[in-house]
Amino acid sequence: MQEGKLLTFVKGMAQLLEEQPSEAIIFSKGKMLLEALVREDDWLPADFCKTHPDYYQQYLLYADPLDRFSVVSFVWGPNQKTPVHNHTVWGMVGQLRGQERSANYYRQADGSLKPGESSVCKPGEVATVSPNTHDIHVVANDLDDQASISIHVYGGNIGRIQRAVFEPTTGAEKLFVSGYANSVSPNLWNMSTKSA
């Protein structure tokens, strides 16, 4: 296990964000940093790879003390998925193990949310989300026989940010704060969306 890889990534992201770059630069230079981190699956400790039988897990790996970014491992059991949700901040998703399918949703004139294109992220690949372009989506483990793990980087402490889940046919939203599986506070994301 080479935990130094995560530290190298965190230092690189902190240095990049010190320059107060545009989102386009974050998605260019930051994406390269994340691609380097997920290129090899030999550094994530086992405690941050544990699945749950009923819902995916969200483990905090690093939270910037200035809330500029957070790094989180998402661990998905077979066929587990999110509800339709948003982020409110920029994000990058690097696939470490297995593969995940993401489907973007778009607000319609009547307020409903319609699914659009979907894509599959495979190990070593990085996808992005942003309130400026496509912030509402559903993510699922694309494998029905094994776990998948992705490393998410967000422009804030995602476990403390108020966000929303959506009912697609009406567009109705329910606010939530996700928390983390490895924190002492309740994981409100899993509690509020367990039946979704």
Side-chain angles (χ1 to χ4, degrees):
M1 178 171 53
Q2 300 178 19
E3 295 174 34
K5 290 181 179 179
L6 178 59
L7 181 59
T8 298
F9 172 78
V10 165
K11 286 179 177 178
M13 278 302 298
Q15 289 171 347
L16 174 60
L17 295 175
E18 278 293 317
E19 301 167 7
Q20 299 181 345
S22 67
E23 189 173 275
I25 291 173
I26 292 170
F27 284 167
S28 172
K29 293 183 178 180
K31 186 176 179 182
M32 288 189 292
L33 293 170
L34 187 53
E35 285 170 342
L37 179 64
V38 298
R39 189 172 295 131
E40 295 178 17
D41 182 7
D42 63 355
W43 58 269
L44 187 63
D47 284 348
F48 303 102
C49 299
K50 295 177 183 175
T51 60
H52 186 283
D54 298 324
Y55 44 79
Y56 66 91
Q57 298 285 68
Q58 181 174 311
Y59 297 102
L60 178 64
L61 301 179
Y62 177 78
D64 178 68
L66 301 177
D67 279 346
R68 295 173 300 177
F69 71 105
S70 56
V71 185
V72 182
S73 68
F74 275 67
V75 182
W76 314 80
N79 297 314
Q80 290 177 351
K81 69 176 188 174
T82 70
V84 179
H85 68 282
N86 69 359
H87 310 87
T88 75
V89 294
W90 61 260
M92 298 183 293
V93 179
Q95 197 65 36
L96 185 67
R97 188 179 305 169
Q99 60 188 44
E100 294 168 13
R101 179 173 298 277
S102 176
N104 292 330
Y105 278 69
Y106 298 95
R107 180 90 51 197
Q108 304 301 299
D110 65 0
S112 66
L113 292 164
K114 182 179 179 183
E117 69 281 0
S118 70
S119 60
V120 173
C121 203
K122 297 182 179 177
E125 296 178 347
V126 174
T128 62
V129 296
S130 167
N132 299 319
T133 54
H134 57 288
D135 189 41
I136 301 174
H137 70 173
V138 167
V139 181
N141 184 350
D142 200 44
L143 304 174
D144 59 12
D145 60 350
Q146 69 183 67
S148 291
I149 299 176
S150 51
I151 306 301
H152 296 219
V153 183
Y154 294 104
N157 187 337
I158 198 67
R160 296 186 348 187
I161 294 172
Q162 183 170 279
R163 303 186 282 145
V165 293
F166 300 91
E167 202 295 307
T169 56
T170 65
E173 62 181 66
K174 179 181 176 183
L175 299 177
F176 76 98
V177 176
S178 65
Y180 299 107
N182 57 331
S183 70
V184 294
S185 61
N187 189 328
L188 300 178
W189 169 274
N190 289 331
M191 288 170 47
S192 67
T193 63
K194 192 170 182 179
S195 62

